[in-house]
Amino acid sequence: MSIRLRVTRRVAAAEGVVVLDLADPSGAELPRWAPGAHVDLCLPGGAVRQYSLCGDPGDRRRWRIGVLREPDGRGGSAQVHAALHEGVEVEARGPRNHFALVPARRYVFIAGGIGITPILPMITAAGADWELHYGGRSRRSMAFLDVLGADPRVTLYPRDEVGRPDLDRILGTPRADTAVYCCGPEPLLAAVEQRCASWPAGALHVERFAPREVGGPAGAFEVELAVSGLTVTVPADKSVLRVVEEAGIGVLSSCREGTCGTCETPVLAGVVDHRDSLLTPPERAANDTMFICVSRAAGPRLVLEL
């Protein structure tokens, strides 16, 4: 859903990080959400960016996000820092959740930098048996240290003081009763994925802020749109999403790089060449959904519920 929200509070949470509280201008309750959820912000100038909700899921009056200003980014975070002050209104869409907290006896959370945002509500919902390993350039750059406090289950890794987290120690012993959640920069995610290769299937859950590098052939294929009664050809130089839009079929989309999940589409027939940064290996093997902004057909034809 789409909703108009007002910035009711803005504070600096760390070096280059602002935390915004967003509320309905009328005071109405906001849609429910669960740990791991994110929302789209439709920023001034037309950019749409995704931000994890990091407040209290039980608070129906406000949503909280933390935004790191990325000097080398695409400009969205710079717009947030420059334009979204207290009293300013912004359109939001969502919430959506592709990083949900699954039931487990025990949790290991690993966060790098602004990757702490989706983890914060998780540690509150995880019960007693969890541990958090949180790294950053320095304490000045690490947001929410005041919220995390002196909890003995939290280990901080300011790189200028102690170096990087010892992933071999943290993840060296696979445990069947443990879920691992990781969010942060790509080198951290890749390192965690490597260490968890020997863990039980489904133990690791990651969320990416940028798309993973995925290659592969990009030949043409046909897509049947079962609901619309159309069949279109997707050439090598266009995405399924773009071709579907050109055919006049409206599809919600946002990031167009396989990270937000907005354009998820049911697959009725055919085999998908998954190129997103969201689905787990079992979800890809199920072959019943795809993100049409980046994923393609692994054969000559797909049938989609569009």
Side-chain angles (χ1 to χ4, degrees), residues 29-210:
E29 288 191 340
L30 299 177
R32 297 184 186 276
W33 62 280
H38 71 264
V39 294
D40 296 347
L41 290 190
C42 303
L43 301 173
V48 179
R49 297 292 185 268
Q50 296 74 44
Y51 298 105
S52 297
L53 294 173
C54 59
D56 177 6
D59 185 351
R60 298 289 304 281
R61 298 294 179 181
R62 64 179 177 178
W63 285 345
R64 176 168 292 171
I65 62 172
V67 182
L68 170 67
R69 192 181 191 284
E70 297 274 10
D72 299 323
R74 296 173 297 163
S77 65
Q79 290 183 39
V80 170
H81 278 245
L84 296 192
H85 298 281
E86 291 183 10
V88 172
E89 294 187 7
V90 62
E91 182 184 354
R93 297 200 301 244
R96 286 186 300 276
N97 199 337
H98 291 278
F99 194 45
L101 189 67
V102 300
R105 182 177 177 183
R106 187 171 180 273
Y107 297 91
V108 175
F109 299 110
I110 302 172
I114 200 62
I116 189 63
T117 50
I119 301 296
L120 279 179
M122 290 185 176
I123 63 177
T124 302
D129 200 354
W130 58 267
E131 60 187 76
L132 167 63
H133 302 269
Y134 176 23
R137 295 190 312 275
S138 67
R139 290 179 187 270
R140 295 189 307 278
S141 71
M142 297 169 67
F144 304 109
L145 295 187
D146 57 333
V147 176
L148 296 170
D151 194 312
R153 294 169 292 185
V154 178
T155 305
L156 303 178
Y157 300 85
R159 196 157 59 244
D160 60 349
E161 297 178 24
V162 299
R164 302 178 189 276
D166 184 353
L167 297 179
D168 290 329
R169 178 186 62 80
I170 298 167
L171 302 171
T173 303
R175 294 185 286 267
D177 63 346
T178 301
V180 179
Y181 279 78
C182 181
C183 185
E186 183 59 32
L188 174 65
L189 298 179
V192 169
E193 287 176 330
Q194 181 182 31
R195 267 61 169 204
C196 286
S198 59
W199 281 60
L204 176 61
H205 307 262
V206 302
E207 183 169 60
R208 285 177 159 82
F209 293 137

Side-chain angles (χ1 to χ4, degrees), residues 225 227-232 240-252 306:
L225 310 179
V227 177
S228 305
L230 299 175
T231 297
V232 296
V240 177
L241 174 61
R242 183 176 172 186
V243 171
V244 168
E245 288 176 332
E246 290 175 349
I249 308 300
V251 180
L252 278 178
L306 284 174

